[in-house]
C-alpha cells in the first residue's frame, strides 16, 4: 500500500527569506524523510527562490512530503517533477591525483567517453568538470573509483527545469 | 509623521482589537512595554514564568476564539516559551508571540541574553520571523495575526531586535494583507463531499469521529443536527468532547486510549467512519493496522497535511468542519425502511456494548474522583473548566459532561503538565464574568503553581481543584500495570510518606482560602464554598493513592483490546 521506495523529484518556489532553507531542510530531519540532494538559487524575481529536491521515499511518504511543503507558509508553489518531462543537470568536479602518464591517458579516454572536460592539469593530477545528469555522474564516479586510487569528488546536487518538448533526466 | 517601532507595535495591537497582552519584562522588550504603559486601554498581565505566560494566552485564546498575544524578552524569556508554543502548535491555538531580541549589530555575537529563538521554534510554529527592517514591521505584524488566526490556526512568533523597536519610521498599519504563498482553504470540494455523503448514506454501520476542529469552527450545532437527522452515532476525541451533547441519541462518548468500551468497539466494527477535525493521533487509533479495519474512511480536515498521514483514507475532503457540515446538512434526510432498521440495529449494538462495560471507577476508601466530578457537575453547571494532564484529566473527560455552558480547555496533543492552572487564569482574563475552574493533579499543579501570585495580584480569581494522590498518577498506573509496581520517581511524598508541600498552608501564604477534603460527605459543601467565594480558592481532594483510569488501551495495541479492570 505504501508503494516501493524510489527516487523522486520536487521543485519548490519559495519566498527568498532568511530561514526558509533551514525550514525546508529541517522538515526532513524532523519527520525522518530521506533527503538525497537539495539545491537552491534565486529566480528571475530576486525575492523568489527555486529549490530542486531529490528524495528517496515510498508513495505515501512522498504524498505527505508534498502536503507538508504545501502547508508551509513561506512556500509559494510545489511542483512534482517525478513523472513529467524535465531537463536535469548536476555540476561535478573530479580531481584525479598521483597519476602517471599512462593513467593520465586513461583519464582522457574516460573524459572523452563521458563527454566531460578536463579543466585543469598538473604533472600528476587532472581536474575533470562534468555537467551531466545525476545518474550519468554516478556512473562516471563509479568508473573513476574503479580505475584510480586517489580521487576527490565534489558534487553540486541536481538542478532541474520542466521540459518543453523533450526530457533529459 | 514618523513613529518608533514600539509605537507602531502598540498601534498594530489596537488595530487588531487586542485588549489583553500577557507580558514578562526584560532587557530587550522594555521599549515595547513602555509604549504599553502609555496606552492603558490594553491590559497587561504579568505572570510569574514565561511558560505559564503562554498557557495563560492559550486559555485566553480558547475562551475567546481570538489570538492570545504574548510579549517576552530575548534569551531565557524566549526559551521559556518553547513548551507553551509547542502545546499551542499541537492543539491549533492561535497565538501571536513577540520576543525582544538583541540589537541587530549584536546578533550572532553571543551577546548577553541572545538566542536564535526563530531557529529554535521553526518546527513548532506556523510562522516565525525576525524583523530585521523597521519598514517591514507593520507588514510582519499584520501577517502574524492573519496567519495565526486563519486556516489551521496556530502560534506565530515575531522576534523584534531592540534597535528596530526604537527606530523611527512610517506609522501606517495595513488594513489587509495578501500573501502569494499562504492561502488557507476556503469552501469545500462539493464533488468529494457528495461522494462522502453517498458512502455514509449507504452504510449499515456508520460512525462519526469528531475532533477539536468541530469545536474550533463552532460546528457543534450543525454536527448534532446532521448526526441526529441521519441517525449516525458520534464518538469524540478528548478535545472533541462536547461536540455532541450527552443527552443526544447520537452520543456515544470518547474513544481512544482511555475512551469508552462502546466507543472503541464502535470504531473497530463500523463499516464507514466519517472523521472530522481530528488527525488520527496514536492515542485515538492504537495499533494502526487494526484501526477501523472494517471501515471505509472519510476524513474532513482543514489541514491537507493531516489527511492520509497516519491512516490512509478512502475519501479525503479538505475543508473547515463547519463549512463541510453545513453542506452535508443540506442533503441530509432521515433514513427509512430497511436502512432505518439497519441503523437501529447498529445503535442497539453500541448501546449493548455500553451496558456491558459502562465507565466506572472503584474506590474503597478516600475521596472518589468520580464523585468529585459529579459534585462539580452539580455545583458548577455553568463555568469554564480547564484541565491539566494526567489521571484527573481522564476522569474529568469521563465523568464531567462538557456542555455549551461549561466548555473545557485542555492540553491534548502535547500533553503538557502545568497547563491547567495558568490556562484558567487566561480564561478568567478573557471572561471575567464567568466562574473558572482549574481541575488539576498534585503533580501538574506544582509545575506552575507560582501563578497563584498572578491570580491574586492581577485580580483573576479562579478556583483550583487539586486531586491529590501523592503520585504522578498516570505514570504510576503504567508502572503498576506494565512494570510490576516498580514506582521509580513517581511518588511525590517524603520518606515518611508525608506530602510536600501542604497545599492549604501554601495557599494561605498567598491569602487564598483553601480546604482539604478527606471524606466524600464533604465534597459538596467544599465546592459550594468555592462557588460563593469571590476570590481565588483552592480545594485539595485526597483521593486514593493507587486507583487507575480504565478502560486502558496499552500503547501500540488495537483499541478494542482494552484493560477493563
Amino acid at each position: 500500500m505504501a508503494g516501493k521506495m524510489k527516487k523522486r523529484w520536487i521543485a519548490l518556489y519559495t519566498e527568498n527569506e532568511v530561514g526558509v532553507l533551514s525550514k525546508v531542510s529541517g522538515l526532513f530531519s524532523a519527520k525522518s524523510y530521506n533527503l538525497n540532494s537539495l539545491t537552491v538559487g534565486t529566480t528571475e524575481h530576486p525575492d523568489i527562490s527555486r529549490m530542486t529536491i531529490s528524495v528517496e521515499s515510498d508513495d505515501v511518504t512522498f504524498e505527505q512530503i508534498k502536503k507538508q511543503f504545501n502547508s508551509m507558509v513561506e512556500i509559494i508553489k510545489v511542483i512534482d517533477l517525478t513523472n513529467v518531462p524535465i531537463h536535469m543537470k548536476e555540476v561535478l568536479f573530479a580531481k584525479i591525483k598521483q597519476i602517471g602518464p599512462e593513467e593520465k591517458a586513461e583519464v582522457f579516454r574516460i573524459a572523452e567517453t563521458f563527454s566531460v572536460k578536463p579543466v585543469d592539469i598538473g604533472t600528476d593530477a587532472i581536474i575533470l568538470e562534468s555537467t551531466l545528469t545525476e545518474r550519468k555522474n554516478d556512473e562516471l564516479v563509479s568508473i573513476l573509483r574503479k580505475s584510480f586510487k586517489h580521487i576527490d569528488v565534489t558534487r553540486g546536487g541536481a538542478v532541474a527545469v520542466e521540459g518543453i518538448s523533450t526530457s533529459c533526466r | 509623521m514618523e513613529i518608533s517601532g514600539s509605537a507602531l507595535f502598540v498601534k498594530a495591537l489596537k488595530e487588531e482589537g487586542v485588549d489583553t497582552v500577557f507580558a514578562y519584562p526584560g532587557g530587550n522588550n522594555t521599549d515595547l512595554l513602555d509604549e504599553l504603559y502609555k496606552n492603558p486601554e490594553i491590559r497587561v498581565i504579568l505572570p510569574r514564568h514565561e511558560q505559564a505566560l503562554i498557557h495563560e494566552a492559550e486559555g485566553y485564546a480558547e475562551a475567546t476564539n481570538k489570538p492570545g498575544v504574548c510579549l517576552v524578552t530575548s534569551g531565557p524569556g524566549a526559551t521559556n516559551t518553547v513548551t507553551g508554543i509547542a502545546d499551542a502548535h499541537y492543539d491549533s491555538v492561535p497565538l501571536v508571540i513577540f520576543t525582544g531580541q538583541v540589537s541587530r549589530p549584536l546578533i550572532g555575537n553571543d551577546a548577553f541574553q541572545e538566542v536564535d529563538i526563530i531557529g529554535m521554534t521553526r518546527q513548532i510554529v506556523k510562522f516565525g520571523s525576525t524583523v530585521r527592517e523597521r519598514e517591514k514591521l507593520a507588514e510582519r505584524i499584520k501577517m502574524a495575526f492573519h496567519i495565526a488566526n486563519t486556516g489551521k490556526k496556530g502560534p506565530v512568533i515575531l522576534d523584534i531586535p531592540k534597535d528596530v523597536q526604537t527606530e523611527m519610521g512610517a506609522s501606517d498599519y495595513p488594513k489587509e494583507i495578501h500573501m502569494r504563498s499562504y492561502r488557507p482553504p476556503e469552501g469545500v470540494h462539493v464533488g468529494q463531499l457528495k461522494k462522502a455523503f453517498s458512502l455514509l448514506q449507504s452504510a449499515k454501520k456508520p460512525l462519526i469521529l469528531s475532533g477539536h476542529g468541530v469545536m474550533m469552527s463552532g460546528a457543534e450545532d450543525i454536527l448534532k443536527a446532521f448526526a441526529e437527522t441521519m441517525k449516525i452515532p458520534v464518538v469524540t476525541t478528548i478535545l472533541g468532547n462536547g461536540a455532541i451533547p450527552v443527552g443526544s441519541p447520537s452520543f456515544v462518548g470518547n474513544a481512544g486510549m482511555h475512551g469508552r468500551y462502546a466507543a472503541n468497539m464502535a470504531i473497530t466494527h463500523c463499516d464507514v467512519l466519517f472523521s472530522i477535525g481530528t488527525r488520527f493521533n496514536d492515542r485515538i487509533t492504537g495499533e494502526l493496522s487494526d484501526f477501523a479495519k472494517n471501515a471505509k474512511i472519510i476524513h474532513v480536515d482543514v489541514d491537507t497535511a493531516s489527511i492520509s498521514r497516519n491512516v490512509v483514507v478512502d475519501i479525503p475532503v479538505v475543508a473547515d468542519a463547519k463549512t463541510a457540515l453545513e453542506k452535508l446538512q443540506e442533503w441530509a434526510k432521515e433514513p427509512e425502511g430497511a436502512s432505518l432498521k439497519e441503523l437501529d440495529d447498529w445503535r442497539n449494538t453500541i448501546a449493548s456494548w455500553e451496558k456491558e462495560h459502562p465507565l466506572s471507577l472503584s474506590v474503597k476508601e478516600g475521596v472518589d474522583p468520580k464523585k468529585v466530578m459529579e459534585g462539580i457537575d452539580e455545583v458548577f453547571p455553568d463555568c469554564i473548566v480547564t484541565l491539566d494532564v494526567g489521571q484527573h484529566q481522564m476522569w474529568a473527560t469521563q465523568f464531567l459532561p462538557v456542555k455549551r455552558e461549561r466548555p473545557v480547555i485542555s492540553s491534548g496533543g502535547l500533553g503538557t503538565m502545568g497547563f491547567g492552572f495558568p490556562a484558567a487564569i487566561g480564561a478568567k482574563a478573557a471572561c471575567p464574568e464567568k466562574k473558572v475552574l482549574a481541575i488539576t493533579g498534585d503533580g501538574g499543579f506544582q509545575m506552575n503553581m507560582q501563578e497563584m501570585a498572578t491570580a491574586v495580584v492581577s485580580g483573576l480569581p479562579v478556583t483550583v481543584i487539586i486531586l491529590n494522590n501523592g503520585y504522578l498518577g498516570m505514570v504510576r498506573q503504567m508502572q503498576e500495570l506494565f512494570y510490576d509496581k516498580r514506582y521509580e520517581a513517581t511518588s511525590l511524598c517524603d520518606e515518611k510518606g508525608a506530602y510536600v508541600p501542604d497545599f492549604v498552608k501554601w495557599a494561605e501564604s498567598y491569602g487564598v482560602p483553601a480546604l482539604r477534603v478527606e471524606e466524600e460527605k464533604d465534597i459538596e459543601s467544599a465546592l459550594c464554598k468555592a462557588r460563593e467565594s469571590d476570590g481565588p480558592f483552592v480545594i485539595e481532594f485526597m483521593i486514593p493513592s493507587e486507583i487507575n483510569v480504565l478502560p486502558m488501551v496499552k500503547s501500540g495495541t488495537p483499541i478494542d483490546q482494552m484493560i477493563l479492570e
Side-chain angles (χ1 to χ4, degrees):
Chain A
M1 199 160 53
K4 66 174 197 295
M5 294 290 282
K6 64 174 197 187
K7 190 173 245 188
R8 298 149 203 271
W9 297 91
I10 298 174
L12 300 179
Y13 283 103
T14 76
E15 297 290 347
N16 182 11
E17 276 179 20
V18 179
V20 176
L21 176 61
S22 173
K23 190 161 183 179
V24 168
S25 60
L27 182 80
F28 286 86
S29 54
K31 307 267 181 196
S32 285
Y33 303 144
N34 290 321
L35 175 66
N36 279 336
S37 73
L38 190 162
T39 58
V40 60
T42 50
T43 63
E44 67 280 15
H45 305 287
D47 56 345
I48 297 179
S49 304
R50 179 169 162 132
M51 299 186 191
T52 305
I53 296 174
S54 149
V55 300
E56 185 91 21
S57 77
D58 60 35
D59 293 340
V60 171
T61 308
F62 189 58
E63 280 308 306
Q64 186 52 222
I65 291 171
K66 286 189 283 180
K67 286 177 186 174
Q68 292 285 348
F69 282 143
N70 267 312
S71 66
M72 270 188 200
V73 168
E74 299 89 343
I75 292 178
I76 301 165
K77 197 174 179 189
V78 181
I79 306 167
D80 180 355
L81 300 177
T82 310
N83 295 313
V84 298
I86 52 171
H87 293 273
M88 180 183 294
K89 285 286 183 287
E90 184 198 28
V91 173
L92 175 151
F93 289 109
K95 190 185 279 179
I96 301 103
K97 300 182 294 190
Q98 298 177 34
I99 46 177
E102 267 180 45
E103 286 168 308
K104 267 191 191 164
E106 179 64 10
V107 172
F108 282 111
R109 272 196 293 279
I110 292 171
E112 200 180 338
T113 313
F114 277 83
S115 307
V116 300
K117 273 193 309 195
V119 291
D120 200 353
I121 191 161
T123 51
D124 64 345
I126 298 177
I127 296 175
L128 295 181
E129 174 193 291
S130 159
T131 44
L132 296 169
T133 63
E134 201 189 46
R135 192 183 301 159
K136 271 280 170 204
N137 278 342
D138 287 343
E139 291 165 12
L140 175 63
V141 172
S142 161
I143 201 135
L144 290 173
R145 280 170 58 119
K146 274 184 211 150
S147 311
F148 308 101
K149 266 198 193 125
H150 305 283
I151 61 170
D152 289 341
V153 173
T154 304
R155 301 180 70 159
V159 175
V161 64
E162 299 89 310
I164 300 165
S165 44
T166 62
S167 186
C168 173
R169 54 168 74 226
Chain B
M1 193 188 74
E2 292 212 324
I3 61 174
S4 69
S6 299
L8 179 61
F9 161 78
V10 172
K11 179 181 176 180
L13 296 190
K14 284 191 199 160
E15 302 251 325
E16 294 295 336
V18 175
D19 53 22
T20 306
V21 175
F22 298 88
Y24 204 99
N28 285 316
N29 68 352
T30 35
D31 290 285
L32 300 170
L33 282 164
D34 192 49
E35 280 304 320
L36 285 168
Y37 182 87
K38 297 174 197 159
N39 290 272
E41 60 271 39
I42 297 177
R43 184 176 189 192
V44 174
I45 294 173
L46 170 71
R48 294 299 183 269
H49 189 286
E50 288 94 347
Q51 183 198 344
L53 182 154
I54 301 290
H55 298 324
E56 280 158 19
E58 287 183 274
Y60 175 94
E62 295 234 32
T64 55
N65 229 354
K66 296 197 309 189
V69 180
C70 311
L71 171 62
V72 298
T73 190
S74 61
T79 55
N80 276 345
T81 64
V82 171
T83 300
I85 293 175
D87 187 87
H89 181 61
Y90 251 121
D91 288 348
S92 309
V93 182
L95 297 182
V96 178
I97 302 131
F98 296 93
T99 51
Q101 181 56 280
V102 300
S103 290
R104 285 165 291 182
L106 291 176
I107 291 179
N109 290 8
D110 288 353
F112 177 66
Q113 296 196 329
E114 180 200 354
V115 295
D116 172 19
I117 192 63
I118 299 302
M120 283 179 197
T121 55
R122 204 160 269 141
Q123 300 298 334
I124 50 168
V125 294
K126 199 169 162 191
F127 179 71
S129 168
T130 300
V131 185
R132 286 160 205 274
E133 291 132 338
R134 166 64 182 81
E135 55 271 30
K136 284 204 173 152
L137 183 60
E139 180 200 270
R140 289 281 140 158
I141 298 176
K142 187 77 209 173
M143 273 170 71
F145 279 92
H146 175 59
I147 293 167
N149 209 29
T150 50
K152 181 182 159 74
K153 298 179 183 184
V156 172
I157 182 163
L158 280 190
D159 193 35
I160 311 180
K162 190 169 167 67
D163 57 343
V164 173
Q165 298 169 26
T166 51
E167 189 177 323
M168 301 301 281
S171 64
D172 307 322
Y173 187 71
K175 283 262 172 284
E176 49 187 29
I177 194 151
H178 299 283
M179 293 176 62
R180 60 188 170 194
S181 59
Y182 175 69
R183 277 181 232 96
E186 286 170 12
V188 53
H189 191 296
V190 176
Q192 277 303 91
L193 205 58
K194 196 104 208 178
K195 271 201 251 170
F197 181 74
S198 310
L199 186 60
L200 261 182
Q201 222 178 7
S202 66
K204 293 182 171 63
K205 295 187 277 182
L207 186 70
I208 295 173
L209 168 63
S210 175
H212 195 202
V214 170
M215 324 285 280
M216 292 202 70
S217 70
E220 297 97 323
D221 287 340
I222 193 89
L223 173 78
K224 178 172 182 284
F226 178 68
E228 288 181 1
T229 311
M230 302 278 295
K231 296 197 186 307
I232 304 174
V234 179
V235 300
T236 46
T237 66
I238 295 283
L239 295 187
N241 193 9
I244 189 101
V246 174
S248 163
S250 284
F251 176 88
V252 181
N254 275 352
M257 182 176 258
H258 294 293
R260 283 180 195 242
Y261 177 77
N264 285 358
M265 293 299 281
I267 287 180
T268 307
H269 293 276
C270 67
D271 63 357
V272 171
L273 181 65
F274 178 88
S275 169
I276 182 160
T278 173
R279 59 168 173 262
F280 295 114
N281 181 279
D282 57 280
R283 286 298 190 263
I284 285 294
T285 62
E287 166 56 38
L288 273 173
S289 55
D290 286 289
F291 178 75
K293 57 187 173 198
N294 303 307
K296 293 242 185 248
I297 300 178
I298 301 158
H299 188 183
V300 182
D301 206 291
V302 74
D303 175 26
T304 328
S306 288
I307 294 177
S308 284
R309 177 170 52 194
N310 301 333
V311 170
V312 177
V313 305
D314 300 283
I315 303 179
V317 183
V318 178
D320 169 71
K322 193 173 186 182
T323 312
L325 282 165
E326 277 171 352
K327 197 80 213 162
L328 285 168
Q329 180 59 8
E330 284 175 23
W331 303 328
K333 45 178 184 249
E334 294 202 7
E336 4 177 271
S339 150
L340 178 63
K341 169 79 175 55
E342 282 160 359
L343 286 171
D344 280 340
D345 287 349
W346 171 230
R347 281 145 64 106
N348 288 336
T349 307
I350 296 175
S352 66
W353 281 324
E354 175 63 29
K355 207 174 264 174
E356 235 174 281
H357 294 290
L359 288 174
S360 67
L361 189 61
S362 104
V363 171
K364 291 186 187 71
E365 53 184 335
V367 178
D368 181 343
K370 183 174 178 226
K371 298 269 163 56
V372 176
M373 297 307 159
E374 287 166 358
I376 292 170
D377 187 26
E378 212 178 290
V379 179
F380 292 92
D382 54 346
C383 66
I384 298 173
V385 172
T386 69
L387 306 177
D388 210 81
V389 169
Q391 286 185 313
H392 72 277
Q393 180 190 27
M394 295 301 119
W395 287 319
T397 55
Q398 289 182 335
F399 301 119
L400 182 64
V402 182
K403 302 187 291 191
R404 191 61 53 82
E405 322 78 73
R406 195 174 57 215
V408 170
I409 299 169
S410 186
S411 163
L414 195 68
T416 312
M417 283 174 70
F419 171 87
F421 179 42
I425 292 171
K428 184 70 185 176
C431 308
E433 73 293 350
K434 284 211 130 183
K435 269 274 172 196
V436 180
L437 215 62
I439 305 176
T440 177
D442 53 306
F445 183 60
Q446 288 191 63
M447 282 203 176
N448 268 321
M449 68 187 200
Q450 78 285 346
E451 292 307 303
M452 189 55 90
T454 312
V456 172
V457 175
S458 296
L460 298 167
V462 302
T463 298
V464 182
I465 307 284
I466 306 170
L467 299 190
N468 187 346
N469 56 8
Y471 276 106
L472 299 169
M474 195 56 107
V475 182
R476 187 213 53 78
Q477 170 171 343
M478 279 195 273
Q479 289 169 333
E480 176 188 332
L481 297 174
F482 311 125
Y483 297 87
D484 209 13
K485 291 198 178 186
R486 292 187 295 277
Y487 294 159
E488 180 64 36
T490 41
S491 169
L492 297 180
C493 299
D494 70 10
E495 283 169 355
K496 291 177 191 136
Y499 197 84
V500 180
D502 180 327
F503 285 120
V504 174
K505 285 187 187 155
W506 170 86
E508 281 164 3
S509 76
Y510 286 86
V512 171
L515 294 170
R516 179 174 296 124
V517 175
E518 291 175 281
E519 287 181 64
E520 223 166 89
K521 65 174 176 49
D522 299 327
I523 294 175
E524 202 180 314
S525 65
L527 289 169
C528 287
K529 279 191 188 120
R531 166 109 220 166
E532 285 150 21
S533 162
D534 292 330
F537 204 95
V538 174
I539 312 175
E540 181 188 21
F541 290 101
M542 306 310 288
I543 64 167
S545 54
E546 295 183 58
I547 46 173
N548 294 335
V549 178
L550 295 171
M552 176 173 189
V553 178
K554 189 180 176 185
S555 189
T557 61
I559 55 166
D560 61 339
Q561 292 173 23
M562 286 162 268
I563 300 166
L564 291 159
E565 53 193 51

